[in-house]
């Protein structure tokens, strides 16, 4: 009887699949880099182990403790998010077709009269310069702040409403924190974003609404500012390894962390640390509410979860430990994030094929207005037809 094939072991399963095409010489050369990259990562983890075992990290942080496992669900509130095509938009002969979407969902019965429990807003632009295309992420954030301001304005008119405002991402866009006031004022998009962000925080403070930014992709090293020396990994990675399930830690406020962080970043790049520190201090002096943002981390009770970084302005007086415990208790088991953040992220998702449908609608309308389909087609044709499939609407089935 022939020997039966055995299933691959855990390491073998990571190798090439049976029937795969042979790798190219370039790919084989790339794989040779694996050992070097692995050794670099191990060196960083070993350095971090030293920080953890010595207690240096724990003692440097403002607070470290256990989450409250007995808290109930989230306070009533809204979650807001914005998005834009990660591909950068459609590259057309006449320019770029770009777009942004922002939306909101309510939770725990926080629906406001006239707004309902969910809504979304979209903007699209036809731009020619690369600078204008690069501003799309900022335009998306501006649209998001406008949506959040509308929610709080309606709450103010109604005489009450949400106690909690969750933001998918940072509370204050970082471009507003690390650029000089002159640079912010000279850039129209940054200037409007700065104004909208400031109004939002002022209104939340007046209404007693706690604002929380859930930062999913965090590669910052603010912990270096706390320690006074560089940490080997980014903050999210460090706290994922440092925190146990059901624990939280507080790094501090922006007014304490950001000037030191700016100084460290500048010196690492061979620039004047003192100059960049002054720039950040100037911005925080001009916008004091920005400096009140508290940076904290928690790890949900879910097995295998990662640390979640949050930015908090507790205008509702919920208490930081209680608030973090609420967020942890409301975690989606699939992602480890508070469930309203996952819901609003899905609600505002902007699929690539939507831009192609928009292009076709614009094409038809331009042709009608000009009375010249050929000119319209020439202007709005794809610059790179080979990548057109990325944006093509799917045929058949559900899409």
């Amino acid at each position: 009887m022939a020997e039966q094939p055995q299933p691959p072991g855990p390491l073998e399963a990571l190798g090439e699949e049976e029937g795969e095409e042979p790798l190219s010489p370039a790919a084989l050369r790339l794989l040779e880099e694996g050992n070097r990259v692995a050794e670099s990562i191990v060196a960083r983890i070993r350095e971090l182990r030293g920080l953890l075992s010595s207690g240096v990290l724990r003692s440097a942080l403002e607070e470290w403790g256990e989450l409250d496992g007995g808290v109930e669900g989230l306070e009533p509130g809204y979650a807001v998010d914005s998005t834009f095509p990660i591909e950068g938009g459609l590259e057309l002969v006449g320019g770029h077709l770009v777009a942004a979407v922002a939306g909101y969902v309510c939770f725990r019965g926080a629906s406001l009269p006239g707004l309902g429990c969910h809504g979304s807003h979209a903007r699209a632009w036809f731009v020619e310069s690369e600078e204008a295309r690069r501003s799309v992420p900022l335009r998306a954030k501006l649209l998001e702040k406008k949506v959040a301001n509308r929610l709080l304005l309606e709450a103010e008119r109604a005489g009450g409403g949400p106690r909690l405002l969750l933001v998918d991402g940072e509370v204050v866009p970082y471009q507003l924190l690390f650029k000089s006031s002159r640079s912010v004022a000279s850039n129209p998009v940054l200037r409007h974003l700065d104004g909208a962000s400031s109004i939002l925080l002022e209104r939340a403070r007046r209404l007693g609404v706690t604002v929380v930014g859930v930062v999913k992709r965090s590669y910052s090293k603010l912990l270096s500012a706390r320690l006074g020396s560089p940490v080997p990994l980014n903050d999210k990675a460090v706290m994922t390894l440092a925190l146990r399930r059901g624990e939280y830690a507080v790094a501090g406020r922006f007014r304490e962390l950001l000037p030191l962080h700016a100084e460290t970043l500048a010196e690492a790049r061979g620039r004047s640390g003192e100059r960049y520190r002054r720039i950040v201090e100037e911005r925080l002096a001009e916008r004091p509410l920005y400096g009140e943002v508290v940076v904290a981390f928690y790890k949900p009770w879910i097995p295998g979860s990662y640390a979640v970084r949050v930015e908090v302005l507790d205008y509702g007086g919920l208490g930081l430990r209680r608030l973090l415990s609420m967020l942890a208790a409301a975690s989606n088991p699939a992602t480890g994030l508070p469930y309203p953040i996952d819901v609003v992220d899905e609600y505002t998702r902007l699929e690539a094929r939507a831009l192609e449908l928009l292009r076709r609608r614009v094409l038809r309308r331009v042709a009608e207005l000009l009375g010249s389909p050929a000119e319209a087609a020439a202007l709005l044709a794809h610059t790179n037809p080979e990548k057109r499939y990325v944006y093509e609407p799917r045929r058949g089935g559900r899409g």
Side-chain angles (χ1 to χ4, degrees):
M1 181 177 179
E3 184 179 346
Q4 295 297 313
Q6 297 298 312
L11 293 180
E12 293 169 339
L14 298 177
E16 295 182 19
E17 294 290 335
E18 185 177 353
E20 280 189 354
E21 293 183 7
L23 292 174
S24 67
L28 290 170
R29 182 65 68 183
L30 178 61
L31 291 179
E32 293 176 4
E33 286 287 281
N35 286 342
R36 187 184 62 81
V37 174
E39 288 165 6
S40 171
I41 293 172
V42 167
R44 296 184 189 186
I45 292 176
R46 284 175 176 162
E47 184 182 346
L48 177 59
R49 283 178 179 173
L51 284 175
L52 299 180
S53 62
S54 66
V56 171
L57 178 64
R58 182 182 288 257
S59 61
L61 295 178
E62 193 172 281
E63 187 179 345
W64 192 303
E66 297 279 342
L67 296 170
D68 183 358
V71 297
E72 297 182 359
L74 293 169
E75 293 285 332
Y78 278 89
V80 297
D81 186 23
S82 61
T83 189
F84 54 92
I86 198 67
E87 301 84 2
L90 283 181
E91 295 182 1
L92 306 177
V93 172
H96 289 87
L97 184 61
V98 297
V101 174
Y104 63 87
V105 296
C106 77
F107 50 90
R108 296 298 300 273
S111 179
L112 289 164
L115 290 179
C117 203
H118 57 80
S120 60
H121 301 265
R123 291 292 306 275
W125 304 272
F126 188 65
V127 300
E128 295 182 75
S129 71
E130 190 63 26
E131 181 181 355
R133 190 167 73 99
R134 286 198 301 267
S135 73
V136 172
L138 291 175
R139 292 174 184 267
K141 280 295 175 186
L142 176 57
L143 188 60
E144 174 189 293
K145 300 305 179 191
K146 288 181 176 180
V147 168
N149 266 311
R150 171 75 189 283
L151 293 172
L152 294 190
L153 179 61
E154 291 303 320
E156 195 168 26
R157 289 172 175 169
R163 294 206 61 201
L164 192 58
L165 178 67
L166 298 183
V167 180
D168 190 342
E170 65 273 12
V171 170
V172 181
Y174 298 148
Q175 293 89 339
L176 300 180
L177 298 169
F178 293 98
K179 289 183 177 292
S180 68
S181 296
R182 181 181 298 178
S183 296
V184 171
S186 64
N187 183 307
V189 180
L190 281 178
R191 185 172 66 249
H192 286 103
L193 181 57
D194 187 39
S197 298
S198 180
I199 290 171
L200 176 64
L201 300 190
E202 289 281 5
R203 185 168 279 142
R205 183 174 67 167
R206 189 166 61 248
L207 294 175
V209 175
T210 292
V211 181
V212 179
V214 180
V215 187
K216 293 185 287 192
R217 289 172 290 277
S218 174
Y219 301 104
S220 66
K221 289 192 174 183
L222 289 177
L223 295 176
S224 297
R226 265 295 179 196
L227 288 167
S229 59
V231 291
L233 296 166
N234 66 64
D235 295 339
K236 186 179 180 73
V238 169
M239 298 312 296
T240 292
L241 297 174
L243 290 172
R244 294 178 298 179
R245 283 187 290 156
E247 283 189 332
Y248 74 95
V250 182
R253 287 170 170 73
F254 271 180
R255 67 166 180 259
E256 306 153 358
L257 298 172
L258 294 188
L260 293 171
H261 182 52
E263 186 174 356
T264 302
L265 285 177
E267 290 175 349
R269 297 170 184 172
R271 299 177 181 176
S272 169
E274 183 180 351
R275 176 174 176 269
Y276 280 90
R277 177 174 179 156
R278 285 202 308 269
I279 286 174
V280 174
E281 288 174 339
E282 174 192 310
R283 285 296 296 145
L284 297 181
E286 185 177 352
R287 299 294 192 193
L289 294 186
Y290 292 178
E292 294 299 312
V293 173
V294 174
V295 178
F297 302 85
Y298 69 88
K299 185 180 280 189
W301 293 279
I302 300 167
S305 59
Y306 304 99
V308 180
R309 172 181 163 167
V310 291
E311 298 176 356
V312 180
L313 285 165
D314 188 17
Y315 295 135
L318 301 178
L320 190 56
R321 177 172 179 261
R322 179 167 173 254
L323 174 62
L324 297 178
S325 301
M326 285 181 189
L327 295 170
S331 298
N332 179 346
T335 64
L337 300 169
Y339 74 86
I341 292 295
D342 286 329
V343 173
V344 74
D345 180 77
E346 187 64 29
Y347 187 72
T348 58
R349 189 178 301 278
L350 180 58
E351 297 175 87
R353 68 179 188 271
L355 276 179
E356 172 61 17
L357 294 175
L358 176 62
R359 184 192 73 88
R360 295 179 185 183
R361 176 168 293 188
V362 172
L363 176 62
R364 284 197 299 270
R365 184 58 178 156
V366 169
E368 290 173 2
L369 293 173
L370 287 178
S372 173
E375 283 185 300
L379 180 70
L380 296 170
H382 289 268
T383 298
N384 190 355
E386 290 84 0
K387 290 189 177 180
R388 182 176 177 176
Y389 71 91
V390 174
Y391 303 95
E392 288 287 352
R394 292 195 291 266
R395 302 286 184 185
R398 294 182 180 180

